[in-house]
Amino acid sequence: MLADSIEIKVRKKDAMKHIFRKTPLISKIDQFNRKVENIHLEYVEYKILKYEIISRRKNKNNFRNDDINNNIIMMVNTYNGHSKSIECVPQTVKRYIARSSIKKSNIKEDYIIEKVKNEILNYFDSKIKNNSIDKHIIKNIRLIEVSSIYKPYWIGDYNGKEVFVDA
């Protein structure tokens, strides 16, 4: 399948060295110097969500308030659900990816959209309570765009557990 993918920057040998360096010494001794086996390349799907937030500054005079538009871009890992806010979408290249090398997502897209929307609301509520931003009333959060990109990972088997290394 033709998909947008982040470029591979780490070779397989470098990934093996990284895993070996990160393994604690006690584990190496206790497990008789077992090595990482079955290292292969897999892609994890990331959803890029662009939201438009329309808010109004809290003021005594409600008739003269102007709406404030903010755009937030969120990047969500569909395998484990981790999300973060980013400034801009990462550089991608078009690449043919075999369906067998794509890690199956554990979270549905509808759930991701609602979860991120609630995270944004909680973030603004906590900032308002801490008085770190001016008092704003959020009028609307609107989803502008949803897109998918694929990030490559070197995945190896170390003593029966999957180990992920950025590629």
Side-chain angles (χ1 to χ4, degrees):
M1 117 178 163
L2 185 63
D4 289 328
S5 169
I6 297 174
E7 286 190 54
I8 299 171
K9 297 177 183 173
V10 178
R11 295 187 329 241
K12 187 175 184 177
K13 287 184 179 182
D14 295 335
M16 289 174 62
K17 289 178 187 176
H18 180 75
I19 293 170
F20 190 70
R21 271 187 276 142
K22 293 294 181 179
T23 306
L25 181 61
I26 300 298
S27 294
K28 291 176 190 174
I29 294 169
D30 185 41
Q31 296 167 359
F32 304 110
N33 291 327
R34 290 190 182 165
K35 294 189 178 184
V36 180
E37 298 170 349
N38 192 18
I39 293 181
H40 58 282
L41 189 66
E42 285 194 14
Y43 290 85
V44 175
E45 181 182 14
Y46 279 79
K47 292 285 185 185
I48 305 295
L49 306 170
K50 294 181 183 178
Y51 285 94
E52 179 184 41
I53 300 171
I54 301 170
S55 63
R56 176 175 284 170
R57 190 172 297 201
K58 233 178 186 178
N59 199 352
K60 291 179 183 177
N61 187 358
N62 287 331
F63 298 109
R64 293 201 173 180
N65 289 337
D66 293 328
D67 289 341
I68 300 167
N69 291 344
N70 293 319
N71 290 327
I72 292 180
I73 302 172
M74 299 292 286
M75 187 167 155
V76 182
N77 183 334
T78 60
Y79 182 68
N80 62 13
H82 178 72
S83 66
K84 66 179 179 178
S85 174
I86 56 175
E87 294 292 323
C88 61
V89 179
Q91 292 283 337
T92 59
V93 293
K94 292 278 187 188
R95 174 175 292 149
Y96 284 102
I97 302 172
R99 290 196 187 272
S100 62
S101 66
I102 294 176
K103 200 84 165 141
K104 186 180 177 201
S105 63
N106 293 333
I107 305 168
K108 294 181 181 177
E109 186 174 333
D110 297 335
Y111 179 77
I112 290 173
I113 291 170
E114 286 302 314
K115 180 91 169 146
V116 170
K117 186 176 178 180
N118 290 335
E119 283 180 12
I120 292 171
L121 285 171
N122 290 339
Y123 174 77
F124 272 99
D125 286 345
S126 68
K127 290 292 184 182
I128 289 171
K129 287 178 184 175
N130 294 335
N131 292 327
S132 59
I133 62 171
D134 294 337
K135 302 254 182 201
H136 284 268
I137 300 171
I138 296 176
K139 289 175 56 177
N140 192 13
I141 295 180
R142 185 170 63 102
L143 182 65
I144 298 172
E145 182 183 346
V146 177
S147 59
S148 293
I149 62 172
Y150 293 88
K151 186 173 180 181
Y153 286 96
W154 290 107
I155 298 178
D157 182 37
Y158 183 75
N159 200 21
K161 296 179 183 174
E162 282 189 335
V163 180
F164 287 76
V165 176
D166 286 340

